[in-house]
């Protein structure tokens, strides 16, 4: 017969139990890291950005930029795969920007979420030309 003394055994408290990280958490981490890379103008396709812009103008439609626009992930218990759709600024090296995005996203997700990033796939869907900014601001003024 064993005696129950009420003392817990089984390892350090940090190893008892399971931590689950939702996909949206990894999406937000990846999106924030990608946006912070110089040369990245925006995330998401032109259509997604347009719809998000309209949604932000509507009352109760959201506050600020969507942190997950242009980001999709698959997250497992130990690993994550990330797909990003970005718009780069005109004049920057697309391959350099993509490499920097990949490095920063992998670093952020592995550090903050504790998941090994097995791949970061990047689609460059557009290049933002200096004239594009003037056209967008004129259209915004006309819509208001």
């Amino acid at each position: 017969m064993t005696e129950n003394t009420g003392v817990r055994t089984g390892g350090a408290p940090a190893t008892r139990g399971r931590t689950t990280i939702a996909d949206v958490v990894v999406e937000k981490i990846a999106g924030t890291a990608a946006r912070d890379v110089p040369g990245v103008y925006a995330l998401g396709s032109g259509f997604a950005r347009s719809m998000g812009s309209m949604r932000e103008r509507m009352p109760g439609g959201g506050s600020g930029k969507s942190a997950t626009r242009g980001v999709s992930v698959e997250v497992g218990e130990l690993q994550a795969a990330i797909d990003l759709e970005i718009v780069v600024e005109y004049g920057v090296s697309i391959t350099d920007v993509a490499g920097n995005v990949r490095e920063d996203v992998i670093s952020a997700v592995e550090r903050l979420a504790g998941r090994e990033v097995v791949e970061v796939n990047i689609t460059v869907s557009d290049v933002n030309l200096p004239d594009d900014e003037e056209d967008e601001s004129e259209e915004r003024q006309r819509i208001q």
Side-chain angles (χ1 to χ4, degrees), residues 9-40:
T9 60
T15 61
R16 297 180 197 161
R18 184 175 63 181
T19 302
T20 303
I21 298 175
D23 290 3
V24 70
V25 173
V26 176
E27 286 175 349
K28 287 181 178 183
I29 293 169
T32 301
R35 276 188 189 85
D36 289 344
V37 173
V40 173

Side-chain angles (χ1 to χ4, degrees), residues 23-90:
D23 290 3
V24 70
V25 173
V26 176
E27 286 175 349
K28 287 181 178 183
I29 293 169
T32 301
R35 276 188 189 85
D36 289 344
V37 173
V40 173
Y41 177 76
L43 267 63
S45 67
F47 179 74
R49 290 192 325 272
S50 296
M51 294 306 293
S53 178
M54 288 174 44
R55 188 173 45 250
E56 289 167 9
R57 289 188 197 123
M58 295 174 63
S63 57
K65 294 180 183 175
S66 171
T68 61
R69 186 180 307 141
V71 183
S72 64
V73 301
E74 292 179 34
V75 181
E77 289 195 29
L78 301 174
Q79 297 178 324
I82 301 166
D83 294 322
L84 298 169
E85 186 172 359
I86 67 172
V87 177
V88 297
E89 296 173 355
Y90 178 77

Side-chain angles (χ1 to χ4, degrees), residues 30-44 49 65 69-71 84-105 122-129 133:
T32 301
R35 276 188 189 85
D36 289 344
V37 173
V40 173
Y41 177 76
L43 267 63
R49 290 192 325 272
K65 294 180 183 175
R69 186 180 307 141
V71 183
L84 298 169
E85 186 172 359
I86 67 172
V87 177
V88 297
E89 296 173 355
Y90 178 77
V92 300
S93 167
I94 293 173
T95 55
D96 288 348
V97 170
N100 292 337
V101 166
R102 200 170 273 114
E103 286 180 22
D104 287 6
V105 167
I122 299 172
T123 301
V124 179
S125 62
D126 200 359
V127 174
N128 182 60
L129 301 173
E133 291 178 14

